[in-house]
Amino acid sequence: MKKTLILAAAGCLALASVASAEIIRVDSTDVPKAIPVSGTSGDMDTSFLTIGDDHDCGGRGKIFDVNVGVTYNHTFNGDLSVRVTGPDNGDGATSIELFSGIGGSSNDMDVVIDDQSENGPISGPVSGGDDRQAEGGAVLCGYNGGSAVGEWAMDINDNAGGDSGSLTAWFVEVDCQTKGKAPLCAGDDGKGGRGLGSWANNGRGNGEDLPPRGQRGR
């Protein structure tokens, strides 16, 4: 049996029994953030959250899968570029663009970016916390094999004037394991495309991705 740990940044913990690795979710607490910070174009003040090391993601724990939830209000989706940056664990921080310039004049976004989403890459507005892959497809796997511990950042740029809004919530959700080889973006060592979280087939992992949306505590 494994323990699922859903961690609020404020330190509230909820434990539930499921199968082998540990799933951790941390929500930002420094929102809302104006998009952009002033005027009607430019960068938002960066929002941060921190994943601690007092659980299986610490020590030898490494990322086997990561999802990022983003919720904002804005009056022109097509103006925005949204980027997440993982912690710097000695090799430099990795910044990944989730989407940019999509949705035209549509308003608002409430999406979970998930490499394993069967809904495919995001191409327009999403509501209700539904899941999509990043605009570039499965890219969050770039964090796989690294440490989740440390400071994560969310940046949104408003590329044009005339519209504004605010980031109201975002979170990072990771499946951490202490054993097994984390899947790679292009497949686990090229063996039949076993990457992108589908390490069930390589005999070294826990046999499952992050649980379906309805079981993630949101």
Side-chain angles (χ1 to χ4, degrees), residues 57 61-64 89 142-149 176 182:
C57 275
K62 56 191 174 184
I63 297 171
F64 269 57
N89 293 293
Y143 292 120
N144 290 1
S147 173
V149 173
C176 292

Side-chain angles (χ1 to χ4, degrees), residues 35-44 72 74 76-83 97 99-102 104 135 155-165:
I35 308 170
V37 65
S38 62
T40 58
S41 66
D43 293 323
M44 177 191 82
Y72 64 72
H74 195 272
F76 203 100
N77 276 316
D79 287 351
L80 303 184
S81 297
V82 179
R83 180 175 295 271
E97 186 171 85
F99 52 91
S100 178
I102 64 170
E135 184 183 7
D155 290 288
I156 301 178
N157 176 263
D158 189 332
N159 300 303
D163 294 271
S164 61

